[in-house]
Amino acid sequence: MTTATEAARAAGLVAPRARATAARPRGLSLALRTLGPVALLAAWQISSATGALTPDVLASPGQVLQAVQELWGNGQLADALSTSLTRAALGLLFGAGAGLVLGVVTGFFRLGEELLDSAVQVLRTVPFLALVPLFMVWFGITETAKIALIGVATSFPMYVSASGGVRNTDRKLVEAMRSFGLSRWAVVREVVLPGALPALLSGLRLSMTLSVIALIAAEEINSTEGIGYLMAQAQNFSRTDVLAVCILIYGLLGLAADGAVRVLERVLMPWRPTGARQGAGR
Amino acid sequence: MSATTPAVHLRGLRRVFGTRAVLDGIDLDIARGEFLALLGASGTGKTTLLRILGALDRADQGTVLVPPSRTVVFQEPRLIPSKRVLGNVTVGLPRGAATRDTGRRALAEVGLADHADAWPGTLSGGEAQRAALARALVREPELLLLDEPFAALDALTRLRMQDLVGELCRKHRPAVLLVTHDVDEAIRLADRVAVLRDGALVRDETVTVERPRDAADPEFAALRRRLLADLGVHQDTAPQHVN
C-alpha cells in the first residue's frame, strides 16, 4: 500500500461497494424452492405419527399413498383424472381463447374498447358460482354445463390481462411498422402479441388457477365421474385418505399449470434475458 | 501532481468480462474540483470504469477510493415517469419545504424552473437530461459521474448542454469524470483528458487550450488530432471541420 493511497483514505475517501450480483448456483436455488413443500410434508407426517392428527380428521401420508395405489390399481383414479382434465382443458381453451380475442380487440382498437369494454366489465363482476343454477337449467346435467362454467370463469382474467398488455404496446413501434406498410392484423401478429406476451402469460396463469376452482364447483354438483365425484363419494364414506388424495391432486394440477406457464415463458420469449436481473449496460 | 488529496484514487484497477480484461491495471487520480474527460472507442471499458466509481459494478482487483457523496448522470435521463419533475429531482432526499426549495433552485439553475410540476413524459430529450443533471447536482456531490450524458441529444441541444454543464461545474466545483467518445466535447469541457485503449490509459494530459475554447484555435486542433490518433482515427494534415 503506497503512501498516496493511505493519504487518500485518511482524507475520507471510501471504497465503493457494489451490490454483489453473483449468480446463485442452480442447485441451491432448487433446494430452497423445495424447502417449503418438504417442511409441510414433514409437519404432516410428524403430527400423524405423534397422534396429534387422527385418521378421522386427516389420514397420514402413508395412508394417502396407499389410497393412491388402491385407486390407481382399480383404474378409478386414471378415469377420474382424464375426465376432469378434459373438462378443465376444454373450458380453459374456450374461455381463455375468448378472453384473449376480446382483450386484444378492446386493447388495440378504440372502437372495440368503446363497444365491448363496459359490457365485459359488467359481466366480470358476476361471481361465476352464481351461474351454476342457471347453467343447470340451460344445459341440464351435461358436460356442456361444466365446460361452459369453466369457460366463463377463465375468460375474464385472460381478458383483463390481454387488454392491459396490449394497451401497453409501444406505440412508436406500431407507428414504425405502419410506415413499413404492415396491415393492422400484421401489426397485431408481429408487434402487439409478442409485446403483450408477459401479460398474456400471467393472465394464463390466473386462468389456469380459476379453471381448477371452477372444475371443483362444476364437479361437486351432480357428477357421475371425475375427481369431484370421487370426492363426493369419499365424503359419504368418511374416507379422509381419498379426500386427501383428491385435494393433493388439485394442488398438483395447479403446480403443473404453473410449471407449464414457466416453460412457455422460456419457449415463447427467447429474447428475454433468462436471469431476472442483467447488468444495465457496461 | 499536487500535494492536496485527490477525490478519486485508483491503483491497479482490473475488471475482467469472461476472458477479456476490459480494465487492466488502471492507475488514476482525479483532484478535487478537477474535470477529467475519459475518451475511448465503444467497448473499451470507459463506462465500466465509471460504473465502478459509482458502485454500480465491482472491481476484480486493485484499490478504488472515491468520496462518499457521488452522483451519476446517465446517457438516458432515467427519470421516474410517475413522479413530477421536482419530485424526480428531490427523490430520496428528506421531505419538506427546505428540500423542495433546493430542488426548485436546482431546476432554476438548469433553466427548468417552469417545468417543476410537469410530468417527465412531457419533456423533450434535452429538458429531461437537464432535469437529470439537476437531480445529480442538488445532492452537492464531491464526485459527479457523467456517462455520455449528451450522446442522445441533437447537435444544437448538445452544445447548449455542454455550456450548461461546464458553467455549473465551475460554480459547484465537484470532481467530474466525463465519459465520452466525442473529442471536441472533451476538449471544450475538461481540465484534463485521458484516453482508454486496450484496458490501459494511453494518454493522460492537461488541457492547456485557453478558455473560452474555440475549435479554430491551433492548439485545440493539435490536441484534437493527437486524441483522434489515439482513438485510431487518422486525419489528413489539412484541417477539416466536422461540426
Side-chain angles (χ1 to χ4, degrees), chain A residues 1-2 4-9 11-21 279-282, chain B residues 5-7 9 11 17 20 32 47-48 51-53 55 57-58 63-68 78:
Chain A
M1 194 120 312
T2 61
T5 305
E6 279 159 18
R9 219 184 277 276
L13 296 193
V14 294
R17 294 177 66 111
R19 195 163 295 177
T21 52
R282 326 168 143 181
Chain B
T5 56
H9 179 78
R11 285 296 176 270
F17 287 122
R20 198 168 76 92
R32 289 185 187 275
T47 295
T48 303
R51 289 175 62 86
I52 289 172
L53 295 188
D57 201 345
R58 64 190 165 77
T63 308
V64 181
L65 291 175
V66 292
R78 300 200 185 180

Side-chain angles (χ1 to χ4, degrees), chain B residues 150-171:
Chain B
F150 316 116
L153 304 176
D154 66 89
L156 292 175
T157 312
R158 188 179 310 155
L159 287 178
R160 251 179 253 131
M161 260 306 266
Q162 286 169 359
D163 287 342
L164 179 67
V165 166
E167 182 190 317
L168 289 176
C169 287
R170 275 193 292 283
K171 186 173 162 197

Side-chain angles (χ1 to χ4, degrees), chain A residues 104-118:
Chain A
V104 170
V105 168
T106 56
F108 193 58
F109 302 104
R110 179 177 292 186
L111 183 68
E113 198 208 338
E114 285 161 352
L115 280 177
L116 288 173
D117 190 54
S118 49

